[in-house]
Amino acid sequence: MALHTQKSVEETLQHILDHPEDDGAQRSLADAYYSDPEIVLNAVRSVISKKDPSTVEKPKEQPDELWGHAKVWKNCVGEQKCTPAEWRSPNSLKSLVDTINEARGKGKRVRAVGSGHAFSDVTSTEDAFLIDPKNLVKVQGTSSWHDIPSAAETFKPDVDAKNLFRTQSGIKIVDLNRRLEKDKLALTNMGSYDGQTISGAFSTGTHGSGALFAPMASSVESIVLVTETGKVYQVEPTDGITDPTKFPNHLPESPEVAVELKQDDEWFNAINVSMGCMGVIYSITLRVQEAFSLSEIRDLTTWEALRPVFAPGNFNPLPAPLAETDHYELLINPYILPGSSTHATIRVARKRIPRTHPRGARADWLETLLKYLAVGSEGLLVWLLNHCPTLSPSVISAGLTALVDQDPPFVANSYDVFTLGVENRMKALAMELHFDARNMVSTIDGILAALADFAKDHLWYLPGPISIRLVAASDALLAPETGRLTCTAELDLLYGTKSAQELLGAVKKRVCDGSGAEGDGAVRVHWGLDPLDEITAGDVEKWYGDKLGRWKEVHGVLNTAGMFDNKFTDRISVSKR
């Protein structure tokens, strides 16, 4: 016999809407769901169907076009804002150099802002020259007049040029993928979002998944950088791809601008992940590969079943799932439902295969969830979770269950599998934690325990699963993945969800600050996925140790007057003025 009726649950829901401060009603709703979930879902649908959409609390809308003649710059969700002194959209190396020189003459800071996908203040700079790279989108090729030349004629004799691809810095990853496809090439790896500019992605340590695949910065072979004086460097590792005797001291498309070749590991590893702090990137040369497909299988398990597999002693060399799979990810429900003792988990296993015809289909978590709850829109989902946060564990469970493949595997072009899908179009905030993969079990357990406590004590709930990925170590000095095989845990929040700041701030304090570990053993926060601007100067000192000192040495040479300082560099105490 049901413990609740739909009418009584609707009355409870209505009471919560009228009295959102009533924690007892919230817990009563959770109890009702656990005893008879279908009745609660029917009640939710009934209440939502009667709700006037115009009264539903929605995230603030942002225009599709962030640039134009706007006086205020905003990031993709509108959380980070600044008022620039000038807007510039250079379309060539010379015009970029001229912009830097003009800013220096006026005593202004300079910041390139990319697609605005960083949630931290890494790009936000008041009263500065804001450089929109939307016109720096040319790539190498000979198919039309607007392509830039390859630099192959300057390479060392033993360098294989066929998988080296040169592009200007402002192209978005989605457009770069299309251009590479024309040459039957592909990025070696990429993150789950393709709306970022390529330079913004690698400059903040953006990564994909795969224990043998380092972050996107590892694919960079050469960087053309415009510095504070207008001087231009082509920066490469000490044993770089360019033959100094062949380098003409300029780029083929810009013979009027002098360029100095700088082949130095310290410079390259500092600039490769530098958050825009050392200059403005004009172009890069990437190592890519022959186009390939990915075969993906998703199945349902539990975190508790996987814990022994990822015990510290199994990372010598790698746990079997990581050794046998090219790209391995987990989606963990951070909450245990009553009647269970485990965290439901979707396991994602991807293998690289030669290019083949696509097959199958893949459900998306958010799209599935909207249909399941019959809320119709993301705004209504945010409204529901704001008023009834105790539904979050069951909402996540419902979404995860629907993700299990019915007819595996799903096969598609690499970039179509790497890209997240409909979730990329939702307004969300995220914090991402990076830690030594050997500490995977203890750190994930710590995150889960923290989230359980915050839900119990404060009714603060994460509205989605925790995304877990493995990433190979990076050589870049300030990459969050530097120095170790890295496990990452991404915590996503729908934009507009209440208590978001309190929850993520509490997680950071407990997991990162509470670990006490330093250097390569520390739990670090991703530079661009720090929505509360929580990273402090003390954090950076603790997390990066002597690598920070080496980074600062290069920074001190290239940013002597503080042209590339901003709120972010002020906060972490690396500003020059």
Side-chain angles (χ1 to χ4, degrees):
M1 183 172 127
L3 299 178
H4 304 271
T5 65
Q6 181 169 328
K7 181 179 179 181
S8 69
V9 175
E10 287 186 31
E11 290 172 351
T12 301
L13 279 168
Q14 193 58 55
H15 176 80
I16 291 171
L17 300 184
D18 296 335
H19 304 280
E21 75 286 353
D22 188 343
D23 292 354
Q26 281 283 325
R27 299 184 193 282
S28 175
L29 181 67
D31 291 341
Y33 184 94
Y34 298 142
S35 63
D36 202 330
E38 194 57 38
I39 282 181
V40 175
L41 289 173
N42 287 337
V44 167
R45 292 163 186 149
S46 176
V47 170
I48 288 176
S49 69
K50 299 172 185 175
K51 188 71 177 173
D52 179 358
S54 66
T55 68
V56 173
E57 300 167 26
K58 295 181 180 180
K60 292 170 284 187
E61 293 296 326
Q62 295 299 316
D64 293 334
E65 178 58 66
L66 296 178
W67 313 110
H69 300 288
K71 294 182 179 179
V72 177
W73 174 83
K74 302 176 184 178
N75 72 345
C76 61
V77 295
E79 282 291 287
Q80 296 290 343
K81 302 176 184 178
C82 66
T83 305
E86 304 277 353
W87 290 81
R88 292 289 187 273
S89 299
N91 61 3
S92 66
L93 179 58
K94 183 179 185 306
S95 62
L96 178 55
V97 170
D98 289 345
T99 298
I100 299 292
N101 288 336
E102 181 186 356
R104 186 177 69 257
K106 294 182 177 180
K108 297 294 185 182
R109 289 177 169 183
V110 172
R111 208 69 177 168
V113 291
S115 62
H117 190 66
F119 300 135
S120 72
D121 59 3
V122 67
T123 56
S124 182
T125 312
E126 291 291 338
D127 195 34
F129 271 55
L130 228 57
I131 295 180
D132 169 6
K134 66 181 181 182
N135 293 322
L136 293 175
V137 294
K138 300 170 186 173
V139 298
Q140 77 175 44
T142 57
S143 61
S144 60
W145 65 270
H146 56 76
D147 290 326
I148 58 174
S150 164
E153 67 277 4
T154 68
F155 291 165
K156 293 175 179 176
D158 59 345
V159 170
D160 184 358
K162 75 173 188 285
N163 286 340
L164 291 173
F165 194 87
R166 185 166 171 254
T167 175
Q168 290 180 327
S169 61
I171 193 168
K172 291 184 179 180
I173 294 171
V174 61
D175 297 320
L176 179 58
N177 283 330
R178 293 178 183 136
R179 183 58 184 81
L180 289 168
E181 177 72 20
K182 291 183 179 180
D183 289 343
K184 298 181 180 179
L185 296 171
L187 293 172
T188 301
N189 203 2
M190 58 176 278
S192 57
Y193 180 72
D194 60 8
Q196 296 164 287
T197 60
I198 185 63
S199 57
F202 76 74
S203 293
T204 55
T206 297
H207 59 90
S209 63
L212 300 179
F213 298 92
M216 294 185 71
S218 66
S219 297
V220 177
E221 296 284 353
S222 184
I223 301 169
V224 176
L225 183 78
V226 182
T227 62
E228 61 182 356
T229 62
K231 184 170 183 177
V232 184
Y233 291 95
Q234 180 164 311
V235 185
E236 299 178 359
T238 300
D239 186 23
I241 58 176
T242 300
D243 185 338
T245 66
K246 296 179 181 178
F247 189 69
N249 297 317
H250 64 77
L251 302 182
E253 72 273 19
S254 301
E256 72 281 10
V257 179
V259 179
E260 179 180 330
L261 178 64
K262 181 75 172 181
Q263 293 180 313
D264 182 279
D265 285 340
E266 287 293 281
W267 272 50
F268 184 76
N269 290 329
I271 293 168
N272 206 358
V273 177
S274 58
M275 293 72 72
C277 297
M278 299 196 189
V280 178
I281 296 170
Y282 164 73
S283 69
I284 57 175
T285 299
L286 292 165
R287 184 165 298 281
V288 295
Q289 68 172 83
E290 183 180 348
F292 61 100
S293 295
L294 283 169
S295 173
E296 176 187 270
I297 294 177
R298 301 195 295 196
D299 62 5
L300 185 63
T301 181
T302 67
W303 168 239
E304 286 68 21
L306 294 173
R307 289 176 84 259
V309 176
F310 296 105
N314 291 341
F315 281 85
N316 187 21
L318 284 175
L322 304 185
E324 297 167 1
T325 305
D326 294 314
H327 305 277
Y328 186 91
E329 302 178 13
L330 303 174
L331 294 171
I332 303 176
N333 189 337
Y335 307 105
I336 296 176
L337 300 183
S340 176
S341 59
T342 58
H343 293 84
T345 298
I346 293 291
R347 175 171 43 196
V348 183
R350 297 168 177 161
K351 288 192 175 182
R352 294 166 172 246
I353 58 175
R355 180 58 69 86
T356 189
H357 294 294
R359 75 169 297 274
R362 179 174 63 178
D364 292 293
W365 183 81
L366 179 65
E367 189 173 47
T368 302
L369 185 57
L370 294 177
K371 290 179 180 177
Y372 178 75
L373 291 175
V375 295
S377 73
E378 180 187 326
L380 280 168
L381 177 59
V382 170
W383 169 82
L384 175 63
L385 294 178
N386 275 340
H387 288 89
C388 310
T390 54
L391 283 177
S392 292
S394 303
V395 163
I396 297 170
S397 177
L400 288 182
T401 302
L403 293 183
V404 178
D405 289 324
Q406 301 301 313
D407 181 28
F410 167 58
V411 177
N413 296 338
S414 58
Y415 50 84
D416 288 328
V417 179
F418 285 138
T419 304
L420 201 57
V422 69
E423 286 94 333
N424 275 336
R425 300 192 294 275
M426 70 190 228
K427 290 184 175 66
L429 297 174
M431 180 173 70
E432 189 170 77
L433 307 179
H434 291 228
F435 42 94
D436 190 322
R438 292 170 297 182
N439 301 330
M440 181 174 172
V441 171
S442 60
T443 306
I444 292 175
D445 283 348
I447 294 170
L448 294 173
L451 290 172
D453 288 346
F454 300 144
K456 178 182 177 182
D457 297 340
H458 305 289
L459 290 179
W460 296 342
Y461 284 89
L462 199 69
I466 302 173
S467 175
I468 303 295
R469 289 180 279 178
L470 282 297
V471 188
S474 172
D475 292 328
L477 295 174
L478 292 194
E481 310 87 358
T482 190
R484 70 216 180 166
L485 173 63
T486 296
C487 182
T488 73
E490 183 175 323
L491 287 70
D492 293 315
L493 288 164
L494 291 169
Y495 182 64
T497 305
K498 294 177 181 177
S499 303
Q501 293 189 349
E502 292 91 340
L503 176 59
L504 294 186
V507 170
K508 188 266 181 183
K509 183 176 182 179
R510 180 154 155 182
V511 177
C512 297
D513 304 349
S515 74
E518 299 185 1
D520 293 342
V523 181
R524 302 165 179 152
V525 178
H526 187 289
W527 296 114
L529 299 179
D530 175 26
L532 309 181
D533 301 330
E534 287 275 336
I535 298 174
T536 67
D539 289 333
V540 180
E541 290 279 357
K542 181 175 76 171
W543 296 346
Y544 294 98
D546 70 305
K547 295 184 179 74
L548 175 62
R550 293 160 58 193
W551 186 92
K552 283 182 174 180
E553 287 186 15
V554 180
H555 182 247
V557 173
L558 295 176
N559 189 42
T560 61
M563 174 177 281
F564 305 110
D565 295 345
N566 73 333
K567 290 192 291 186
F568 165 75
T569 61
D570 296 344
R571 175 162 54 87
I572 65 170
S573 298
V574 299
S575 294
K576 296 299 180 183
R577 64 179 184 185

